[in-house]
Amino acid sequence: MKNREARLLAPGKVEVFDCDIPKVEPGKVLVKMEYCGVCGSDVHFFKDGRIGRTIVNFPFVQGHECSGVVAEVGQGVTNLAVGDKIVMEPGVPCGSCEHCRSGNYNLCEKVVFMATPPHDGAFRNYVSYPAEWCFKLPEKVSTLEAAMIEPLAIGVYSAHVGDVSNEDTVVITGMGCIGLMTLMACKARNVQKIIVTDVFQNRLDKAIELGADVAINAKDEDVVARVKEETEGKGGTVVFECSGYPASMAQAVYLLKRGGAIVQVGTTAEPVPYQFNELVKIEGTIKSVFRYKNMFPLCIKLIERGDFDLSKIDPEIFDFEDIAAAFDTAINRGNEVVKCVVKF
């Protein structure tokens, strides 16, 4: 057994080093990693060394969309055994604060979340992790699919927060991985019509493949005018903003039907020139999504029974030792690749 980890040494510089295999404490398991996705937050930390007020203290290990196989079981662990395929929910809440006790553990202020400073992530061959937050995969669900459960959880939770149904026409701005997962979640809820936007045609093509009814390239068309055209001048009943770009965030209110709701999924540390007066005039609502809660077991079941086919995301796979190329692709080849995943 040999352990290696990818350390972010400075903005734009990542290298792989030898490291110790962690000791397995009571209540934890040693996981031999198999796959870990490159998330948008990973990209921001990689490029800038920070996201808003959250600043990286170098060296830093990234990665939190992860799956693997149990290699060793700590004392007191009864829910897992050596050889089990698992997916790891990357946030471990305190369990005792008011938010945890009310079931809203995604709001826990003491949460230890992988790859969020000061906590290192999962770009390692071996990781020790609390067994309570490792979920066993059924035979039908591969560890590659499992590495995409974390973004799927965001999409499923977003559709839940938006409370969409077959009566709704939804608009989803931004067809990165999170936007595509939100699209799939809305499709699973039999939404009446799904309109999506992006600036990369490959992502719009993927959205159509996954069930979008209308795809608008924001580089080539007036998004507001086209959405109005597709909705008889009314706008979407729910607008999911998944791009995280200030201009797209500000535009969301103009895509919204009177009395509708904006679900803010994407994040930005930049100022957003939001016209709240426009929101007031149509009595619109803004809802927000912060990660997810109680979604991993549900997502596993939905994948197992065929509600979601994550193979259609068709991620580009990179060897762990070539992780720098994965980041380069995620940053510079968005017009070609939807999702980058590292294989160990």
Side-chain angles (χ1 to χ4, degrees):
M1 294 171 63
K2 182 179 181 181
N3 205 10
R4 302 262 285 165
E5 65 181 14
R7 298 174 192 163
L8 184 62
L9 303 175
K13 184 178 181 181
V14 62
E15 294 181 13
V16 180
F17 296 86
D18 290 340
C19 63
D20 293 333
I21 292 177
K23 292 181 62 176
V24 184
E25 300 170 350
K28 293 186 176 184
V29 293
L30 184 68
V31 182
K32 185 180 186 298
M33 304 303 300
E34 292 209 345
Y35 292 96
C36 187
V38 177
C39 176
S41 63
D42 292 323
V43 169
H44 283 296
F45 285 131
F46 180 85
K47 287 197 307 180
D48 306 321
R50 65 185 299 158
I51 299 177
R53 292 175 294 174
T54 306
I55 301 172
V56 172
N57 183 22
F58 300 104
F60 180 56
V61 179
Q62 299 184 272
H64 63 264
E65 301 174 355
C66 45
S67 63
V69 175
V70 175
E72 186 179 337
V73 174
Q75 182 182 350
V77 174
T78 58
N79 62 317
L80 295 171
V82 172
D84 285 345
K85 298 185 303 178
I86 58 99
V87 61
M88 302 148 76
E89 183 165 344
V92 179
C94 74
S96 59
C97 70
E98 61 176 308
H99 303 298
C100 288
R101 289 182 179 275
S102 67
N104 299 314
Y105 68 83
N106 58 319
L107 302 180
C108 175
E109 295 180 71
K110 298 177 182 178
V111 64
V112 175
F113 200 93
M114 279 188 184
T116 299
H119 309 294
D120 282 337
F123 282 138
R124 296 180 165 115
N125 294 108
Y126 290 91
V127 174
S128 177
Y129 206 68
E132 180 183 359
W133 297 97
C134 295
F135 297 93
K136 185 177 177 179
L137 300 173
E139 190 61 37
K140 288 183 179 180
V141 181
S142 70
T143 50
L144 176 56
E145 291 174 297
M148 294 183 279
I149 285 177
E150 202 269 350
L152 177 62
I154 296 173
V156 173
Y157 184 53
S158 298
H160 170 74
V161 170
D163 194 26
V164 295
S165 70
N166 58 8
E167 298 180 353
D168 290 306
T169 293
V170 305
V171 179
I172 308 173
T173 58
M175 284 292 102
C177 188
I178 299 299
L180 291 172
M181 296 298 189
T182 303
L183 159 62
M184 294 173 74
C186 288
K187 193 71 178 177
R189 283 173 167 248
N190 296 314
V191 165
Q192 190 176 118
K193 189 173 187 177
I194 302 175
I195 303 168
V196 302
T197 75
D198 204 283
V199 296
F200 294 134
Q201 191 59 44
N202 66 311
R203 297 184 177 189
L204 294 171
D205 294 341
K206 178 62 68 174
I208 291 293
E209 179 188 338
L210 293 175
D213 299 291
V214 179
I216 305 170
N217 193 317
K219 288 195 302 185
D220 303 329
E221 294 190 66
D222 182 325
V223 171
V224 175
R226 180 69 188 282
V227 167
K228 293 292 186 180
E229 177 186 331
E230 295 288 343
T231 58
E232 300 178 338
K234 297 176 182 178
T237 49
V238 182
V239 176
F240 294 92
E241 205 303 298
C242 298
S243 74
Y245 285 98
S248 181
M249 291 176 167
Q251 187 183 64
V253 66
Y254 299 101
L255 308 177
L256 187 64
K257 182 179 179 179
R258 287 177 172 269
I262 296 167
V263 181
Q264 187 59 51
V265 185
T267 61
T268 182
E270 303 299 320
V272 178
Y274 213 97
Q275 298 298 319
F276 281 96
N277 191 49
E278 297 297 325
L279 188 73
V280 170
K281 287 194 296 185
I282 62 171
E283 203 172 279
T285 302
I286 300 177
K287 300 179 179 181
S288 61
V289 167
F290 184 61
R291 295 172 181 159
Y292 37 75
K293 55 188 176 187
N294 306 309
M295 287 288 122
F296 272 57
L298 172 62
C299 288
I300 292 170
K301 289 179 182 177
L302 293 175
I303 296 168
E304 183 183 24
R305 76 180 193 185
D307 287 18
F308 296 107
D309 182 1
L310 296 187
S311 67
K312 290 184 177 180
I313 298 296
D314 192 24
E316 185 144 338
I317 311 297
F318 296 84
D319 184 79
F320 178 47
E321 296 289 334
D322 199 24
I323 193 169
F327 276 100
D328 179 69
T329 299
I331 294 167
N332 298 312
R333 291 175 53 204
N335 62 331
E336 302 173 32
V337 177
V338 170
K339 182 67 178 174
C340 296
V341 174
V342 172
K343 181 180 181 179
F344 294 85

